[in-house]
Amino acid sequence: MKRVYNFSAGPSMLPLPVLEKAAAELVCYGDSGMSVMEMSHRSPAYEAIIGDAQKLIRSLMNIPDNYKVLFLQGGASTQFASVPLNLMNKNKAADYVITGQFSKKAYEEGKKYGDCKLVASSEDRNNTYIPQLTRWNFRFNRADYVHICFNNTIYGTKFNYIPDTGDIPLAADMSSCILSEPVDVSKFGVIYAGAQKNVAPAGLTIVIVREDLLGNARPETPTMLDWKIMADNDSMYNTPPCYSIYMAKLVFEYIQGLGGLEAMKAYNQKKCAILYDYLDSQDYYIAPVEKEYRSMMNVTFVTGDADLDKKFAKEAGACGLQNIKGHRSVGGMRASIYNAMPIEGVEALVAFMKDFAAANPKK
Ligand SMILES: *Cc1c(COP(=O)(O)O)cnc(C)c1O
């Protein structure tokens, strides 16, 4: 069967050359005589894989030497607890910005551990924008960290700037935008991301954390959630998500082969522009997000008629443009066009949108 264009928000498409390489190596990896899935994580062959993955992500993201990269399990959602457990250690206080469902979940989780203040929110306009934040939004001498979600997967918004939090460490959920473009890691205390949007199959969570923030986890922190313990053990305190890390390594190599994150960004900009330019050129579909906060990765739009939206998703699916239905909480359509979505997929989507609009005039 032919592969479809899969617009799923996650798990989502992986680059075809990566899948093909993994398939070729599936049964027998190199001269090991076994699959990566069957390998001891302490074997030299596997240590080379995880070591290369570490080196590659450091070089791709230009991660400074004073940051650790951890390969963990539990998904981004586990980090909603890990962040407060590891960082809410001085004043037992943190500042949160809500720009969508995941940042709200992070805030709710954080509240279990101390004084979490909601310092800004975009809920007043249905999360169609990103609040402008300055240092004065944050509780200087009080907040142990500030938490944001950099790209809002469900609403299709993205921070178009990095908030200045002064001396307060900035914690960012980058699950749906990591590796989509260069980012100045040094502006963050910690960056975390579930892998299943832009990096690898589900099961791997990447944490990039500044070293000086390690070692002061709260006493009740479960061993498995303590970043310092994971860092001291090179992410192998216990069995890591071996196969997902291997897949991540292949994806890192693939991105490096394209020319790194600058090249990736150029490709992603070109790709999302095809869709946004079309959306801006017509009035059948409505793109609710304010232009300057549009995500490159998740593009949301509606027809304004719930029945038509439903029909759209169904018919698009039948044409090989799958999983275009918006998140169950917001409805409408959402095209997740992560790194691995080819330009041809977006072109096919726009062609379908034109046909659909012509065939389904609004009353
Ligand atoms: C998908 C997603 C999550 C949830 O990730 P899990 O790995 O399923 O826990 C959290 N935050 C953002 C921004 C996401 O896109």
Side-chain angles (χ1 to χ4, degrees):
M1 192 192 164
K2 195 168 159 267
R3 277 173 62 78
V4 298
Y5 293 118
N6 177 9
F7 293 91
S8 166
S12 42
M13 288 182 83
L14 286 161
L16 186 56
V18 165
L19 292 175
E20 285 169 342
K21 178 137 202 242
E25 296 180 335
L26 183 74
V27 174
C28 220
Y29 177 79
D31 57 7
S32 70
M34 62 181 84
S35 166
V36 174
M37 289 184 234
E38 303 167 303
M39 249 175 218
S40 161
H41 57 295
R42 311 276 178 205
S43 64
Y46 193 75
E47 285 194 343
I49 292 172
I50 195 170
D52 285 350
Q54 172 86 225
K55 274 187 221 127
L56 283 159
I57 191 174
R58 284 189 164 278
S59 122
L60 279 175
M61 291 184 69
N62 202 11
I63 298 174
D65 289 342
N66 63 326
Y67 283 73
K68 294 285 189 191
V69 177
L70 311 177
F71 296 130
L72 308 179
Q73 307 201 42
S77 304
T78 297
Q79 296 306 314
F80 297 166
S82 300
V83 169
L85 283 163
N86 283 274
L87 300 184
M88 211 191 275
N89 47 24
K90 290 191 201 87
N91 301 317
K92 307 245 186 311
D95 289 349
Y96 278 76
V97 180
I98 292 188
T99 51
Q101 284 213 358
F102 289 115
S103 45
K104 189 168 187 168
K105 282 184 171 168
Y107 168 64
E108 295 298 335
E109 191 75 10
K111 283 200 294 193
K112 295 182 184 173
Y113 298 98
D115 160 27
C116 287
K117 183 178 174 203
L118 177 55
V119 292
S121 161
S122 55
E123 288 179 303
D124 57 335
R125 297 208 297 279
N126 199 27
N127 299 312
T128 52
Y129 73 104
I130 298 290
Q132 284 299 318
L133 303 162
T134 70
R135 273 185 198 219
W136 314 113
N137 286 97
F138 308 115
R139 292 180 293 170
F140 178 65
N141 277 339
R142 173 80 189 141
D144 291 329
Y145 62 89
V146 171
H147 183 278
I148 61 171
C149 179
F150 213 59
N151 183 81
N152 297 285
T153 324
I154 293 173
Y155 293 91
T157 60
K158 198 200 125 195
F159 272 83
N160 59 358
Y161 69 100
I162 300 173
D164 174 9
T165 56
D167 290 337
I168 312 173
L170 179 59
D173 178 355
M174 291 202 188
S175 295
S176 50
C177 59
I178 190 165
L179 298 176
S180 63
E181 63 180 336
V183 39
D184 184 352
V185 174
S186 73
K187 297 278 196 295
F188 297 85
V190 59
I191 292 169
Y192 64 89
Q196 69 275 21
K197 316 286 166 62
N198 234 356
V199 186
L204 167 65
T205 311
I206 295 171
V207 174
I208 302 165
V209 56
R210 216 172 63 211
E211 274 170 2
D212 64 285
L213 299 175
L214 296 174
N216 294 303
R218 291 156 64 124
E220 72 269 29
T221 306
T223 304
M224 285 297 296
L225 302 192
D226 187 325
W227 294 332
K228 171 85 162 85
I229 291 172
M230 291 296 151
D232 288 348
N233 287 279
D234 296 322
S235 305
M236 298 227 261
Y237 174 82
N238 71 331
T239 317
C242 299
Y243 198 76
S244 281
I245 293 170
Y246 157 76
M247 289 295 288
K249 184 198 92 133
L250 296 186
V251 169
F252 299 156
E253 283 169 348
Y254 168 80
I255 297 173
Q256 192 183 49
L258 295 179
L261 294 191
E262 284 294 352
M264 200 71 252
K265 178 182 185 181
Y267 191 74
N268 285 330
Q269 276 179 330
K270 197 169 151 195
K271 208 162 61 183
C272 75
I274 294 171
L275 194 41
Y276 284 127
D277 287 349
Y278 170 65
L279 284 166
D280 291 341
S281 73
Q282 51 78 59
D283 54 15
Y284 187 85
Y285 303 99
I286 304 142
V289 169
E290 292 181 20
K291 281 186 190 174
E292 60 265 50
Y293 307 113
R294 283 172 166 176
S295 166
M296 280 202 297
M297 299 280 100
N298 311 97
V299 180
T300 51
F301 56 94
V302 297
T303 61
D305 173 334
D307 289 334
L308 276 181
D309 289 351
K310 221 180 196 169
K311 190 167 184 225
F312 181 101
K314 195 167 163 228
E315 291 183 6
C319 295
L321 307 167
Q322 292 192 1
N323 296 312
I324 201 100
K325 193 165 156 275
H327 188 267
R328 57 188 184 278
S329 63
V330 294
M333 276 74 75
R334 169 180 52 173
S336 294
I337 51 174
Y338 297 118
N339 285 353
M341 172 62 69
I343 279 192
E344 293 75 19
V346 176
E347 287 168 346
L349 174 60
V350 169
F352 175 84
M353 290 169 77
K354 290 178 183 168
D355 291 348
F356 185 88
N360 297 277
K362 288 187 202 164
K363 282 161 211 124

